[in-house]
Amino acid sequence: MSTSEPATFWEHLDVLRGCLIKVVAAVMVCAVVAFFFKDALFEVILAPKDSDFIAYRLFSTVGQWLTGTGVDDFSVSLVNTGLANQFAIHVKTSLCVGMIAASPYVVYVLLGFIAPALYASERSVVYGIVGSGYLMFFVGMAVNYLLIFPLTFRFLGTYQVSGDVMNMITLDSYMDTLLMMSLMLGVLFELPVACWLLGRMGMLSSSFMRHYRRHAIVAILMASAVITPTSDVFTLLLVSMPIWALYEVSILLVPRSTATAQES
């Protein structure tokens, strides 16, 4: 068949199948590697449960500089309540890390599949959106791991209504909370990219966002209440503040995207 002839549906499906096989293979290879580096993997994942974590040291330094008092030493012990739970968590965590480690190659393969169907001008836009979205997702996950989750865990893990009540945090609870908050913060950090795209399409303007700022703050608080695994005000404010900051940044990005769309 001549290369100038368009590919059939089944030929496209065959190419897609090849791409999916490459994606699955890359994820599995990275997951297997992560599985065999168990000690290093969980040393990083479980680091926020001790007071020598970087976020606590930073706040301790700031506290000593401002008030002369730092963060008290603490260490929360995790417990396991199921016979196969630790192995299951090891496998699940390895798969998650495998997907994260293989994600640059996954994005590269999927973009390579859809790129031939796009015009040159469309490719630059798609590459910019995908690249920005990919970056912001991992920024959100990093903010959660380095700031939001550690402070949330320290507050809730050491909180006691009475000295007679001992906290026993399960490994399941720790891992599920970390995974859920990382995923949700990654998605929420896509807000500037989504607003930029809507502004480019002419569906959103900075004046509209400024006019409904109060409504947006209420919506952010409601979304933060859904994201946070607890109902305390501390965690709610800790999650909602970065999202509100992203909303303000999005207001600045929308006029630029609108002007870019008009020029193109």
Side-chain angles (χ1 to χ4, degrees), residues 170-189:
T170 65
L171 181 62
D172 280 336
S173 175
Y174 180 94
M175 295 300 297
D176 290 343
T177 303
L178 175 60
L179 180 61
M180 183 195 68
M181 292 184 67
S182 297
L183 179 62
M184 296 305 296
L185 262 295
V187 172
L188 285 173
F189 266 64

Side-chain angles (χ1 to χ4, degrees), residues 2 23 28 32 58 78 87 114 128 134 163 182 225 227 233:
S2 173
V23 166
M28 292 307 299
V32 170
L58 176 62
L78 302 179
F87 179 76
I114 66 173
Y134 180 84
S182 297
I227 295 170
V233 177

